């Protein structure tokens, strides 16, 4: 396996090397980098042209300029070089670090959400093949997949940013919208749950009732402008996740797994009180990242200690429960600071930029500001990617369900839950893993349009500016990140193949 990974890594590096030569050649021959200065009427035009020629090395052949960039890249990787300067004299490495941080947090979040939602939708539609739910989801998926990015972005700006900002200033209950949303979600959930007509009717009425009642209570308690949760809500969330995850993974009859989930909930409540002062004061990203690592480790430890003969399932349930409770705790602290954000930014969701410039506030206010700026482009990229994941998951699940070992599993008397999750789902993940690897790198490249529409200073802006100015240094920096991401994600896919299918390890 190690030789296979090293061989794949070596071939990928050769591909990157060849692609970098081709891209550099195409960029330097795509136009005239001196066109703006040739049209200038400035008295020192000749001096400006000579300076730019010297800075960009325009008096050298393209391959000499490429070798200079390659030498700089080698020094940069060992901390003794740079990625060059753009034609304005700025260090490309500094521009790259800022652009990569903006784009990667957008792409990573969109990819994770797309995988979770797309895989879940694909599994449900495969189980409910040729049902009304299957046809409705298929229609919506193809609709989302064919949406023009710029048009969908305009709609999101109009209704989820401008419309919401106008509404949050003077919140009012729109009963028509609430009832319509309740009916749509009720119909969707009853179709997904299936079952006899009485069960479908109860699911529909319960869902619609909860949405209508919840909307009224949130308005009456002013939850839109002053949201809050508290320990009781945290406990309910933890118990719901622990019981639900146990029912999904092994069934509630497996007491060891259920016990591990409930103990994780108890430890989560201890962590809620133990970390409240730390998180409420003025934390930083490193503290939250460290707490996240501790959360996962606690979940793994509880699962292994209490799982008995079902350690793997217990670890899964405990980790999921711990992560959801940790996310809920973070969400509560964000809610506590939501009124503070509204005081300094009355229109919280902006349509341009990745953060509000020159905003000086506490950590949570800045965190909320970046989160609201992240909302619209993340929704847009997620909607587009969900279509791909759901279609591949559905087709892969249907193909696996026709295999002989699936019929054998049912003939042995295994429950439908075990057949779907342990046999069908795991084997259907192999082709989906390939899509995950390519989609991550593809989203970084596809985010060019999204970032342009939403005014993000990310990798897309870096690439577009370099290309428009016929400046290879920023374009090659963009290629360095996207190419490396493609190589690493393909390497991760190879490792996941071996995890999912032990035959690949031989």
């Amino acid at each position: 396996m190690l030789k296979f990974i090293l061989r794949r890594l070596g071939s990928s590096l050769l591909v990157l090397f060849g692609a970098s030569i081709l891209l550099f050649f195409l960029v330097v021959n795509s136009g005239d980098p001196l066109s703006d200065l040739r049209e200038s009427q400035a008295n020192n035009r000749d001096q400006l042209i000579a300076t730019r020629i010297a800075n960009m090395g325009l008096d050298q052949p393209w391959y000499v300029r490429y070798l200079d960039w390659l030498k700089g890249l080698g020094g940069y990787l060992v901390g003794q070089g740079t990625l060059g300067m753009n034609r304005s004299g700025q260090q490309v490495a500094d521009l790259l670090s800022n652009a990569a941080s903006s784009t990667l947090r957008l792409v990573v979040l969109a990819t994770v959400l797309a995988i979770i939602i797309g895989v879940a939708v694909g599994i449900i539609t495969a189980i409910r093949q040729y049902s009304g739910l299957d046809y409705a989801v298929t229609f919506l998926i193809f609709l989302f997949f064919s949406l023009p990015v710029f048009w969908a972005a305009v709609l999101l700006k109009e209704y989820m940013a401008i419309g919401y900002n106008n509404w949050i200033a003077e919140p009012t209950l729109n009963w028509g919208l609430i009832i319509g949303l309740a009916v749509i979600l009720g119909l969707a959930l009853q179709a997904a749950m299936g079952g006899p007509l009485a069960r479908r009717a109860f699911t529909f009425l319960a869902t619609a009732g909860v949405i209508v009642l919840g909307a009224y209570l949130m308005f009456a308690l002013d939850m839109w402008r002053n949201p809050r949760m508290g320990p009781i809500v945290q406990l309910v969330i933890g118990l719901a996740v622990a019981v639900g995850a146990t029912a999904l993974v092994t069934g509630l009859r497996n007491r060891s797994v259920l016990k591990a989930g409930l103990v994780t909930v108890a430890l989560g409540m201890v962590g809620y009180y133990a970390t409240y002062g730390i998180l409420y004061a003025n934390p930083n990203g490193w503290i939250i990242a460290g707490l996240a690592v501790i959360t996962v480790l606690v979940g793994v430890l509880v699962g292994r200690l209490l799982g008995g003969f079902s350690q793997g399932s217990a670890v899964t349930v405990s980790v999921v429960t711990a992560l959801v409770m940790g996310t809920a705790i973070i969400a509560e602290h964000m809610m506590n600071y939501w009124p503070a954000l509204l005081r300094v930014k009355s229109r919280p969701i902006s349509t341009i930029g990745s953060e509000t410039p020159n905003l000086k506030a506490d950590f949570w206010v800045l965190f909320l500001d970046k989160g609201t700026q992240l909302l619209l482009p993340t929704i847009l990229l997620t909607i587009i990617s969900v279509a791909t994941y759901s279609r591949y998951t559905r087709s892969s699940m249907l193909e696996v369900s026709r295999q002989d070992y699936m019929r054998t599993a049912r003939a042995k008397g295994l429950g439908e839950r075990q057949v779907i999750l342990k046999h069908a789902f795991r084997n259907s993940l192999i082709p989906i893993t390939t899509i995950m690897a390519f989609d991550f790198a593809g989203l970084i490249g596809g985010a060019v349009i999204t970032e342009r529409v939403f005014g993000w200073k990310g990798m897309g802006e870096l690439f577009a500016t370099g290309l428009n100015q016929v400046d290879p240094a920023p374009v090659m920096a963009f290629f360095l990140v996207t190419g490396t991401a493609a190589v690493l994600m393909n390497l991760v896919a190879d490792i996941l193949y071996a995890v999912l299918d032990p035959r690949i390890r031989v």
Side-chain angles (χ1 to χ4, degrees):
M1 186 62 185
L2 180 60
K3 291 182 179 180
F4 173 73
I5 293 176
L6 293 176
R7 189 164 57 248
R8 286 297 304 271
L9 185 60
S11 62
S12 298
L13 291 177
L14 289 177
V15 170
L16 282 177
F17 176 69
S20 66
I21 296 176
L22 178 61
L23 181 61
F24 195 95
F25 174 79
L26 293 175
V27 172
V28 298
N29 289 282
S30 62
D32 183 10
L34 302 174
S35 59
D36 60 320
L37 294 181
R38 297 187 197 280
E39 299 172 358
S40 174
Q41 301 297 324
N43 295 328
N44 60 340
R45 186 189 67 171
D46 294 338
Q47 181 181 356
L48 293 174
I49 291 176
T51 301
R52 183 174 295 180
I53 290 175
N55 290 338
M56 298 182 64
L58 299 178
D59 54 340
Q60 300 289 334
W62 71 269
Y63 52 86
V64 175
R65 296 171 61 191
Y66 173 78
L67 291 176
D68 290 338
W69 175 83
L70 199 62
K71 292 177 183 177
L73 172 62
Y76 176 77
L77 295 178
V78 297
Q80 297 180 353
T82 67
L83 296 177
M85 296 186 295
N86 64 1
R87 77 177 196 178
S88 300
Q90 298 172 294
Q91 287 290 339
V92 173
D94 298 333
L95 299 175
L96 179 62
S97 61
N98 296 328
S101 63
S102 297
T103 298
L104 289 178
R105 75 170 184 260
L106 169 63
V107 171
V108 169
L109 181 59
T111 302
V112 172
L113 291 175
I115 291 172
I116 295 174
I117 298 173
V119 170
V121 169
I123 293 174
I124 294 173
T125 52
I127 296 173
R128 301 276 189 268
Q129 186 183 17
Y130 301 136
S131 64
L133 175 68
D134 186 22
Y135 288 123
V137 170
T138 300
F139 170 76
L140 291 175
I141 289 301
F142 280 109
L143 177 65
F144 293 152
F145 189 75
S146 60
L147 279 178
V149 173
F150 56 88
W151 182 72
V154 171
L155 293 181
L156 288 176
K157 286 184 177 183
E158 177 64 28
Y159 295 104
M160 293 195 66
I162 298 174
Y164 176 80
N165 289 333
N166 293 336
W167 179 84
I168 197 66
E170 297 180 2
T172 56
L173 277 180
N174 187 338
W175 284 109
L177 178 62
I178 293 173
I179 293 174
L181 181 62
V183 170
I184 293 174
L185 292 179
L187 291 174
L189 187 58
Q190 64 85 23
M193 298 294 293
L197 182 60
R199 177 181 172 181
R200 288 174 177 265
F202 174 77
T203 303
F204 169 76
L205 293 175
T207 303
V210 167
I211 292 174
V212 173
L213 180 62
Y216 174 76
L217 290 177
M218 291 183 70
F219 181 80
L221 298 174
D222 194 28
M223 294 288 286
W224 302 108
R225 298 184 61 86
N226 189 23
R228 47 200 178 274
M229 292 177 67
I232 296 178
V233 176
Q234 295 285 350
L235 180 61
V236 171
I237 291 174
L239 291 175
V241 173
V243 174
T246 303
L248 181 64
V249 175
T250 62
L252 295 178
R253 294 182 179 180
N254 194 322
R255 300 302 181 186
S256 299
V257 176
L258 181 60
K259 181 180 178 181
L262 295 178
V263 170
T264 303
V265 174
L267 293 176
M269 294 305 300
V270 173
Y272 169 79
Y273 287 104
T275 62
Y276 199 90
I278 299 174
L279 293 176
Y280 187 80
N282 195 16
N284 54 56
W286 291 109
I287 293 177
I288 295 178
L291 291 175
V293 173
I294 295 174
T295 299
V296 174
L297 293 177
V298 169
V300 172
L301 182 62
V302 171
R304 293 189 65 85
L305 290 177
L306 303 178
F309 294 104
S310 304
Q311 281 189 356
S313 300
V315 168
T316 300
V317 171
S318 297
V319 170
V320 170
T321 304
L323 286 176
V324 172
M325 290 195 70
T327 304
I329 292 172
I330 296 297
E332 178 171 339
H333 288 280
M334 293 170 63
M335 289 180 180
N336 293 336
Y337 278 85
W338 180 253
L341 176 67
L342 293 180
R343 286 195 294 269
V344 299
K345 188 180 177 184
S346 59
R347 301 180 68 83
I349 301 181
S350 302
T351 58
I352 296 296
S354 59
E355 58 184 288
T356 302
N358 302 322
L359 179 62
K360 296 181 179 180
D362 294 332
F363 170 81
W364 287 113
V365 175
L366 297 175
F367 189 85
L368 279 169
D369 175 61
K370 293 180 179 180
T372 54
Q373 302 289 85
L374 193 65
L375 182 63
L376 299 185
T378 299
I379 292 175
L380 183 60
L381 291 178
T382 301
I383 287 176
I384 296 173
S385 295
V386 160
T388 303
Y389 287 115
S390 62
R391 288 297 87 191
Y392 273 95
T393 302
R394 180 182 182 275
S395 61
S396 183
M397 286 284 293
L398 291 176
E399 181 181 355
V400 168
S401 65
R402 302 186 184 98
Q403 300 299 318
D404 292 337
Y405 60 82
M406 293 292 292
R407 288 190 289 270
T408 303
R410 289 190 174 95
K412 290 191 301 183
L414 292 179
E416 193 64 19
R417 180 193 306 105
Q418 291 178 298
V419 172
I420 293 174
L421 294 179
K422 291 189 176 181
H423 294 271
F425 179 56
R426 178 166 180 171
N427 287 282
S428 65
L429 276 179
I430 294 178
I432 300 173
T433 303
T434 305
I435 303 302
M436 294 178 185
F438 285 102
D439 187 63
F440 182 80
L443 272 181
I444 296 179
V448 172
I449 299 176
T450 304
E451 290 177 1
R452 296 277 286 189
V453 174
F454 288 103
W456 275 53
K457 300 296 183 180
M459 298 295 297
E461 193 269 344
L462 184 71
F463 173 81
T465 302
L467 197 60
N468 291 332
Q469 296 179 351
V470 199
D471 188 356
V475 178
M476 297 305 293
F478 172 86
F479 169 80
L480 182 65
V481 173
T482 55
T484 303
V487 169
L488 291 179
M489 292 306 296
N490 276 281
L491 189 60
V492 170
D494 291 336
I495 297 174
L496 288 177
Y497 290 156
V499 174
L500 295 171
D501 189 351
R503 295 173 297 179
I504 299 178
R505 306 174 194 172
V506 180

